[in-house]
Amino acid sequence: MAIRFSHGGDEHIFGEVSESMSLESFFTGLSMINAVRAAQIPGVIETCPANASFQVKFDPDKISPTDMLRELRSFEEQAAKSDQTLATRIIELPVYYQDPWTHETEMRFRERHQDPNSTDLEYSARVNGYATIEEFIAAHAGTPWFVSMVGFVAGLPFLYQLVEQKKQIQAPKYLRPRTDTPKLTVGHGGCFAAIYSVRGAGGYQMYGVTPAPIYDPSQKVRYLSEEMCLFKPGDIVKFRPQTRDEYDATLEAIEANEWEPTIRSCDFSLTEFNRDMAGANARLMEALNGN
């Protein structure tokens, strides 16, 4: 598939790999970004991978937009032949599902929801064919999620469920956005899960909260002392349900700066995943558990 390039003024070039998200599109975009970084093109200032696209910022006094575009086009064939294997990390993140804070918030905004008579979890379970909220939560927390993009709000990850497409959780955004969303809400819109790094407006369905900070510009949180954002594109996340008591205990440990998430190095092969999704996910769980 040919990448569609467009200019953003004289300093940016945007590359659209696909109009819809897929892991294949993500890996093509990431391969393009890696090729730009490896080439060390004079004038390139910043690169930004996204779900199914990427953007390059450059200094037009050092490289013209025409020459920058020519450089990018030269990498397309290389990106298409990428082995689509990624050395990455798998991160376990605790989630308190059915928490009181997102519940209170969603009740304040029911007139903006598709079904004012259901909670977000009840609605999402029903439209995805699950008989109970508990079954839906088990499906949400039962498989890994792939971080395809970090942004829109600082530190906010977009996560793509690692299951075959017909089994992916799908849920539309609110009819009208809320003006409030609790910090660290685990939400869902379309095919993407997201974690709200800060409190603010939002339109994703809300399922729970994590006690774990994922963005700390002060870098005082022990596991964010070197990078203020926890996630990077290509990371893999596994949610672990918590009870209220477990949530409170984790939060207490975080406030004492004595807690950090389990993070393990792992490899992810798109070829192997497409060939045997269950087996690939099992190997990711083995890596997370240190096996």
Side-chain angles (χ1 to χ4, degrees):
M1 93 185 84
I3 298 172
R4 183 165 64 187
F5 292 102
S6 56
H7 291 278
D10 293 334
E11 298 181 344
H12 298 86
I13 292 181
F14 176 74
E16 183 180 31
V17 180
S18 170
E19 292 184 355
S20 60
M21 170 61 193
S22 69
L23 288 174
E24 287 78 8
S25 296
F26 169 82
F27 270 87
T28 298
L30 185 63
S31 295
M32 289 290 293
I33 288 297
N34 288 339
V36 171
R37 291 170 177 168
Q40 297 185 322
I41 302 168
V44 170
I45 297 171
E46 188 176 9
T47 58
C48 180
N51 296 323
S53 61
F54 60 92
Q55 185 166 276
V56 177
K57 181 178 181 181
F58 57 94
D59 182 347
D61 290 332
K62 294 183 178 179
I63 183 170
S64 71
T66 300
D67 288 341
M68 187 71 246
L69 180 58
R70 185 181 299 113
E71 292 276 7
L72 290 174
R73 290 196 185 281
S74 73
F75 300 140
E76 279 193 81
E77 184 177 355
Q78 175 186 341
K81 294 179 179 179
S82 167
D83 63 5
Q84 298 182 320
T85 298
L86 184 66
T88 186
R89 310 178 298 170
I90 183 166
I91 303 169
E92 184 178 70
L93 205 67
V95 178
Y96 177 22
Y97 291 93
Q98 302 189 79
D99 67 285
W101 308 286
T102 58
H103 179 75
E104 185 277 331
T105 302
E106 68 187 50
M107 289 299 103
R108 284 191 277 123
F109 294 97
R110 291 329 281 166
E111 81 284 356
R112 305 185 184 206
H113 194 272
Q114 291 85 352
D115 184 357
N117 297 315
S118 296
T119 66
D120 289 8
L121 275 167
E122 288 169 342
Y123 172 77
S124 296
R126 186 174 70 251
V127 299
N128 283 280
Y130 292 96
T132 65
I133 290 174
E134 288 72 24
E135 289 180 8
F136 178 79
I137 291 172
H140 190 272
T143 57
W145 296 73
F146 191 92
V147 178
S148 59
M149 174 180 165
V150 178
F152 187 73
V153 174
L156 185 154
F158 289 82
L159 303 112
Y160 188 79
Q161 194 174 20
L162 290 177
V163 295
E164 57 184 299
Q165 195 167 20
K166 66 181 181 180
K167 293 183 178 179
Q168 285 181 339
I169 291 172
Q170 301 273 350
K173 294 186 287 186
Y174 277 41
L175 297 176
R176 290 186 294 129
R178 301 177 302 274
T179 56
D180 190 21
T181 307
K183 180 181 178 180
L184 299 177
T185 289
V186 176
H188 202 95
C191 69
F192 288 107
I195 304 169
Y196 287 71
S197 53
V198 297
R199 183 179 182 180
Y204 279 22
Q205 308 287 334
M206 298 182 290
Y207 300 156
V209 293
T210 177
I214 62 172
Y215 170 64
D216 178 24
S218 69
Q219 295 184 265
K220 293 179 180 179
V221 174
R222 64 180 297 171
Y223 58 88
L224 297 176
S225 60
E226 296 183 6
E227 296 283 348
M228 66 178 66
C229 298
L230 174 59
F231 299 112
K232 303 173 184 177
D235 281 343
I236 295 168
V237 177
K238 177 64 172 59
F239 296 125
R240 177 172 57 82
Q242 282 191 316
T243 64
R244 176 60 188 268
D245 287 345
E246 290 170 330
Y247 172 88
D248 289 342
T250 304
L251 194 61
E252 183 178 342
I254 290 170
E255 290 173 348
N257 222 9
E258 297 174 348
W259 183 91
E260 56 188 73
T262 299
I263 302 175
R264 307 283 190 220
S265 298
C266 65
D267 294 320
F268 180 83
S269 166
L270 182 58
T271 301
E272 290 183 7
F273 177 75
N274 286 334
R275 183 170 56 240
D276 179 13
M277 294 184 184
N281 284 344
R283 287 188 286 276
L284 288 173
M285 292 304 97
E286 289 174 359
L288 179 62
N289 296 323
N291 298 330

